[in-house]
Amino acid sequence: MSLESETIVECKCDSCIKVRYNIKQIFLVLDVYGWLLDSYIVDFFLEDLWSKLPGEWQRTLDSVTPCELGKWILGESGTRVWPLSLIALRQVIRKLEINRNHNEREAIKCRGRENGGVSDVNYFSTGKINSVNSSSNLNQNLKPKFDKLFIKHVKTKKRYEIEKIAKILNDCTSKTNCTCVVDIGAGVGHLSRVLAFKYGLNVICIEQDSTLTNQAKKYDNELSASMEKYKFASSGKIDHVSMTVTANNSGEHVINDLVTNFANGSIKKLKTEEFGIIGLHPCGDLATTLLRLYSSCEKAKFICIVGCCYMKLTLRNDENNLKGYPMSKHVSLMCNNKLSFNALEVACHAVEKHCEKLKSDNYTDLVVHTYRAVLEYILVAKSPKLRRIQVKSVKVKEGMSFEQYCKSAIENFEFENQPELSSFTQSNICEFLKKSKRVLIFNSLRLMLAPLVETCILLDRFLFLSEKGLIPSLKAEFDCKLSPRNFVLTSTK
């Protein structure tokens, strides 16, 4: 059956109406300015991308400092008079993007099938935590030592994310009375160990890389030994499975079998085979696979995911492609719903971190974009066949010259593809290198637009759940300066 012939059951709550409206408005903006996102920064000099900007933008941006631009993009005060069209673009981005401020408690939440369609913007409360070793159950003198057990082997950023999402997951399990959780894409199991041994949940970890699974089991044993040493108790259990979850094998029976075997083999007290699905930064199509699994599986009672790696999404090009983007029927039927690989890649960066670099004059490493664009010009001049060829990734450090960069970037090239050394010092090349600020500013404009792309992806997923009669909720839960992909999408049945 084609999408055109399907009946779309659209929720009429205030939130879903606004979501559909905002998506439409975003694509109207991208119809005009999407070329910035679609451009390859390596083509900056080849295609003279700067000249494609409106003339008044060029004149203004040529005179601003990177620090000034960083502050302006973030909406901080300044005295410069900016082009009205540029001001309007910044304001419409702010109006249409999902609020990235994790300190505000507002969430986008569908309530179309509850309370007569009145939207509720309150997110899950962070009330009583069901931790079996919470402060109420644990001697306060031992609590610091207990908490320290869970940060071994875990990087600071990951600790922060785990602490935040574990509380949200705990709320989900309390709301659904569900004590079994399936962590898909579990890696080495840092989150799962917190859920099992600190919150007392029963966790099945699914990871396609058996090396990571084996490492996770090693860490489990280390933690168990430490807890036994200090006589810390936990009612939770954890198990690991190495397998690949795809659109073809992620049906209800696969997870049901795992949960059933887990209950029969490891958890005698588990009275139900209902479970929740979690994914902390599942890569690309895995996030959409989890959402489809949740929507089709009766026993999956909640989902909690934080997506990432949008550029790895499979873009749907026919009605039978069930991967990637778009997911919802509403967005699928929009004639201008297209997002390019470049746009998806830019959406994986955080404009806030970029602007902080500009404001602090700590952007020396960003000259790599200029170096790469100039190198592209040299390579294509040698042979059109070398256009966008893969070069070695080189981190530009303080004082690294363009010639040093090039030698490192193309050191693995065949001899016949190596440009002449004289190419690096030609007069036009020197002129290009002097325009490094333009490359920096052009890329900054792309990053200013990037939140609109992420918003499209996440609101498409939101509508997918809404169209299935489920109740999605979407909110920034992490500090975007620490964790750029900071939105948590949840739903409970």
Side-chain angles (χ1 to χ4, degrees), residues 9-77:
V9 181
E10 292 189 338
C11 173
K12 302 301 182 183
C13 79
D14 293 344
S15 292
C16 288
I17 290 173
K18 185 176 181 181
V19 164
R20 290 190 290 269
Y21 174 81
N22 281 6
I23 290 175
K24 179 181 178 181
Q25 297 305 307
I26 286 173
F27 280 112
L28 290 177
V29 174
L30 295 182
D31 283 345
V32 179
Y33 296 108
W35 70 269
L36 282 160
L37 292 165
D38 298 338
S39 298
Y40 286 85
I41 202 69
V42 298
D43 292 338
F44 187 84
F45 297 108
L46 275 173
E47 298 185 358
D48 194 11
L49 295 178
W50 184 261
S51 69
K52 296 183 180 181
L53 294 173
E56 59 179 344
W57 290 22
Q58 294 179 44
R59 290 186 289 274
T60 300
L61 294 171
D62 254 339
S63 64
V64 303
T65 64
C67 177
E68 193 178 5
L69 180 62
K71 289 181 178 179
W72 180 80
I73 289 176
L74 293 178
E76 299 176 7
S77 59

Side-chain angles (χ1 to χ4, degrees), residues 344-358:
L344 295 172
E345 195 279 330
V346 175
C348 290
H349 299 276
V351 65
E352 297 86 359
K353 292 181 70 174
H354 177 80
C355 289
E356 289 300 326
K357 277 192 167 188
L358 300 186

Side-chain angles (χ1 to χ4, degrees), residues 29 43 52 150 163 181 206 219 235 324 333 344 411 419 450 456 459 472:
V29 174
D43 292 338
K52 296 183 180 181
F150 295 94
E163 179 183 354
V181 177
I206 299 178
Y219 289 163
S235 60
L333 291 175
L344 295 172
E411 64 181 4
C456 282
L459 293 186

Side-chain angles (χ1 to χ4, degrees), residues 115-126:
N115 300 334
V118 178
S119 295
D120 181 0
V121 298
N122 293 321
Y123 199 59
F124 293 123
S125 66
T126 53

